[in-house]
Amino acid sequence: MEPRRPRRPETVAAAAAAVVVGLLAAMVAACGAPAAGESCISWVPADDDAARTELADVVVEGRPVERVGERAMFGVTATVWDVEVDRVLKGTTEVGTVIEVASTPRTCEVGGAYPDGDPLDAAGRLRLYLSDSDFGIEGTEPGLALITPFDGVGAADG
C-alpha cells in the first residue's frame, strides 16, 4: 500500500468552495429564483390610515369600474383598472373623473403577482392610497399605482 500524499491547501479550498456553491445553488432552486428582470421587493407595512396617507401622493375614494390593461412593474405585469373617483382626500385628482390605477403586484412569490387575488378586483367603494411614480425601480412604468400590494386599499367612509 502506497503512503497517502498530503493534500495541498489550494485543493482543499477549491473543494470546499465547490461544495458551498453547490449548496447555494440548491437553496436558490428550492426557494425559487426571481424571473429574469424581476425585482424582489420587501414592503414595510403602514401602521394605520394616517401612515398610509403620508406615504401616498394621492388618496381617493371610488369604485373600480373595469380592467383596462397592464403595466410593467418591478419586472412583472400589473393589472391596470379604471377607477371612478367620488371623493378626493389628498392630491389633485378631481371628483367625477376616471383614473387609471395599477394594482401593485407582489414579487418573487409562489402564486404570481396576486396570490390572494387582485386587491382592486372588489365590488363597492374603496379608499385607495396611491403613488404617482415609477417607485425608482427599473422595469416599472410610471403612473398611479397602489402604494404597496398590502396597504393600497382600505375601506371607504360611509
Side-chain angles (χ1 to χ4, degrees):
M1 183 177 209
E2 266 185 49
R4 202 167 151 197
R5 290 188 297 170
R7 291 190 176 166
R8 295 188 351 213
E10 302 86 35
T11 306
V12 173
V19 169
V20 168
V21 168
L23 287 173
L24 287 174
M27 287 172 43
V28 167
C31 295
E38 182 177 2
S39 298
C40 295
I41 309 296
S42 295
W43 300 98
V44 176
D47 292 331
D48 54 24
D49 286 347
R52 287 189 260 302
T53 299
E54 186 175 326
L55 287 171
D57 298 314
V58 176
V59 180
V60 298
E61 290 183 355
R63 292 174 182 76
V65 179
E66 64 181 334
R67 292 178 193 186
V68 294
E70 297 177 333
R71 183 185 307 159
M73 292 186 77
F74 322 125
V76 298
T77 302
T79 303
V80 177
W81 292 79
D82 269 350
V83 174
E84 186 178 304
V85 176
D86 58 30
R87 185 172 178 210
V88 178
L89 294 113
K90 181 178 179 181
T92 58
T93 300
E94 295 183 24
V95 171
T97 61
V98 175
I99 58 175
E100 286 190 358
V101 176
S103 187
T104 301
R106 290 160 62 172
T107 58
C108 304
E109 291 192 28
V110 174
Y114 308 109
D116 300 323
D118 186 330
L120 289 176
D121 190 7
R125 292 179 67 238
L126 303 172
R127 180 172 293 176
L128 304 179
Y129 302 90
L130 307 172
S131 171
D132 189 9
S133 75
D134 64 1
F135 291 85
I137 297 175
E138 193 171 325
T140 300
E141 296 176 45
L144 290 173
L146 302 178
I147 57 170
T148 78
F150 309 101
D151 292 312
V153 176
D157 287 341

